[in-house]
Amino acid sequence: MAFIELNGVTKRFGAVTAVDRLTLGIAQGECLAMLGPSGCGKTTTLRMVAGFEDLDDGEIRVGERVLSAKAKNFYVPPEHRNFGMVFQAFAVWPHLSVFENVAFPLRIRKLPKAEILARTEEALRHTNLLSVAAGSPNDLSGGGKQRVALARALAIRPDVMLLDEPLSSLDPHFREEMRFEIKDLQRKFGFSILYVTHDQSEAMALSDRILVMRDGVVQQIGTPIDVYRAPANRFVFEFIGLSSFLPVGLTAEGMVVAGQHQPWPDGPPPPELIAAGKAVLAARPSEIRFTSEGGLRGAVARKAYLGEIIDYRVDVGGSEMRVQRPRRDPGPAVGDPCGLLIASPRWYPA
Ligand SMILES: Nc1ncnc2c1ncn2[C@@H]1O[C@H](COP(=O)(O)OP(=O)(O)OP(=O)(O)O)[C@@H](O)[C@H]1O
Ligand SMILES: [Mg+2]
C-alpha cells in the first residue's frame, strides 16, 4: 500500500486549474520527482501536501491518516503533519545561530530540552554543520544555507521530505554533491521524498520514479528509464532527453519527405497514422547514425564538438534533424550530403 496517497487532488486559482485531479501514491522510503515546465503545478501540489493550501477537490492521506479532505472540509495544519520542507530560497533565520535555526521547529513542538539537544546535534552532524553550529547562517555559502534548511527538516525526523527545487540556486558542481548527500540521508533515515525540480538530470539521478506534469495534468508516472525509453506522448518525449522531429507524409508503402519516397526507418508507424496520411517522426539524436548510401537523405548544416560528442544539425528536406555521435566516429563535414539511419523511431500525430 502506498504511504502517501493523493486522490483526485484538484486546485484552482480563478480560471486556472493549477492541479487537475492528481492521483498518486508514494511508497515509504521512495523518492518521487515531479518534473514539468514552469507553471505546471509542481509547487502548488507540494503546498497542498504540506498543508499550506486547501483543496478544491480530492483527498490527501499518509498511511491511514487523512490530512486533507475537501468533501469533509478537513485539514490537518502544517505543524501537525510530520513533514520536512526545503525550498529554493535560502530560508534561514539570519538572527539565529545555525544551531538555533535547526532547533527551532523542535522548540515549537515543545520537546524536552535534552531531546532538542540530541536531535539538533544529530541533524547537524549528518549535514556536516557541527563545526559552524554556533555561527550565523549568514556566514555560510548558499550551499551551506541549504544544508541548514536540510538539517532543520531532518531534526523533526520527518516521514516525508518535501523538497521544492532545493538545489537550483546552487552552482552546478555543488548541486551534484548535494544530490548524493540527500540520497545518503534518505538511506540513513528512510523517509519518503517528494522532490520538485525542472532539471531532468536531477530528477533522473535522484528518484525512484518520475512524474511528468503539464498544465496541472499528469502526463506519465514511471521509473526514470521507463519515462526516457517509453514516453507516454510527444510532450514527455520532448521534455525528457534530447529529441529530433521530422514531419513526414505517409503512404501505405512508406514515407514521403520533401517529395521523395522513403522506406520506413526500422518498421512502419501505427495504422491510424498511415490512414491520416501524415505524422511526425521522432528520434533521440543519439539513436541516429550516418550512412553514405541510402537512408534518409540530407546534408550537414552545422557541426559542433561537445567534448566526447559531436552534435550535428542535418537538413532533411527543409527540416532540421539533430544527430549526436561519439567523437571517435568520423562523420560527414559541414555541407556534405549524408544518409540517416534511425533506430527505434517513434511516431506522433502531425
Ligand atoms: N496563489 C496563487 N494565486 C493565483 N494563481 C496561482 C497561485 N499560485 C499558483 N498559481 C498559478 O497556478 C499555476 C501553477 O503554479 P505553480 O507555482 O504550482 O507552478 P510550478 O510548476 O511550481 O512552476 P515553477 O516551475 O515556475 O515553480 C500557475 O498558473 C500559477 O500562475
Ligand atoms: Mg514552483
Side-chain angles (χ1 to χ4, degrees), residues 9-337:
V9 167
T10 299
K11 181 73 192 176
R12 295 184 204 94
F13 295 107
V16 176
T17 303
V19 177
D20 195 359
R21 288 163 291 174
L22 173 60
T23 292
L24 168 69
I26 304 172
Q28 192 133 32
E30 183 182 31
C31 178
L32 183 109
M34 286 187 73
L35 198 57
S38 190
C40 75
K42 305 181 295 294
T43 296
T44 304
T45 302
L46 217 64
R47 287 175 54 80
M48 287 193 286
V49 174
F52 293 127
E53 207 81 71
D54 58 9
L55 280 53
D56 285 308
D57 205 358
E59 188 178 81
I60 299 174
R61 42 168 87 220
V62 164
E64 292 297 305
R65 188 171 171 228
V66 176
L67 297 181
S68 308
K70 172 64 189 169
K72 302 178 196 119
N73 249 328
F74 174 78
Y75 294 97
V76 174
E79 61 275 21
H80 293 141
R81 303 182 180 205
N82 203 30
F83 295 169
M85 263 167 289
V86 180
F87 298 108
Q88 177 178 2
F90 305 136
V92 291
W93 293 293
H95 57 285
L96 295 180
S97 68
V98 168
F99 185 96
E100 282 307 319
N101 261 278
V102 175
F104 190 77
L106 306 178
R107 298 204 193 285
I108 298 266
R109 285 170 164 77
K110 298 199 174 10
L111 294 182
K113 277 217 170 65
E115 173 97 24
I116 293 178
L117 181 68
R119 284 209 202 181
T120 304
E121 280 189 357
E122 180 189 48
L124 289 170
R125 190 168 55 250
H126 283 292
T127 47
N128 292 320
L129 289 168
L130 266 185
S131 61
V132 296
S136 160
N138 266 359
D139 298 334
L140 301 176
S141 65
K145 289 191 184 100
Q146 278 310 65
R147 270 213 184 86
V148 175
L150 202 57
R152 187 167 55 208
L154 269 182
I156 64 164
R157 299 198 178 142
D159 301 319
V160 182
M161 277 283 195
L162 303 174
L163 306 176
D164 195 351
E165 308 204 24
L167 308 183
S168 58
S169 329
L170 307 183
D171 63 56
H173 169 73
F174 212 74
R175 212 179 291 166
E176 286 189 12
E177 203 168 300
M178 286 284 283
R179 277 182 200 166
F180 290 118
E181 289 182 22
I182 291 174
K183 273 317 256 190
D184 282 347
L185 290 172
Q186 186 191 18
R187 252 173 244 128
K188 272 181 207 139
F189 292 89
F191 46 76
S192 307
I193 300 181
L194 185 51
Y195 193 101
V196 165
T197 176
H198 49 228
D199 177 338
Q200 47 150 306
S201 57
E202 202 164 285
M204 293 265 189
L206 267 169
S207 60
D208 302 302
R209 284 187 304 155
I210 290 177
L211 181 160
V212 183
M213 202 162 180
R214 177 194 198 180
D215 296 337
V217 180
V218 172
Q219 304 294 301
Q220 188 167 6
I221 305 178
T223 63
I225 279 290
D226 273 353
V227 173
Y228 183 78
R229 293 246 176 92
N233 56 37
R234 180 176 170 165
F235 176 83
V236 176
F237 184 94
E238 204 165 355
F239 197 78
I240 308 276
L242 299 176
S243 46
S244 250
F245 295 106
L246 183 68
V248 298
L250 299 174
T251 69
E253 293 79 38
M255 57 188 200
V256 184
V257 182
Q260 306 280 317
H261 285 262
Q262 297 273 348
W264 307 123
D266 213 9
E272 65 274 16
L273 289 182
I274 298 180
K278 57 184 179 170
V280 173
L281 182 158
R284 300 281 182 210
S286 59
E287 294 187 344
I288 305 176
R289 285 189 299 121
F290 287 111
T291 172
S292 43
E293 304 284 318
L296 195 58
R297 302 308 295 177
V300 176
R302 284 191 288 153
K303 182 172 179 178
Y305 289 86
L306 311 177
E308 284 308 301
I309 280 169
I310 309 177
D311 189 69
Y312 297 85
R313 306 299 165 113
V314 177
D315 180 86
V316 178
S319 296
E320 196 177 75
M321 294 282 282
R322 188 169 184 180
V323 179
Q324 290 199 333
R325 301 306 309 162
R327 179 172 56 86
R328 284 174 186 79
D329 235 14
V334 173
D336 279 357

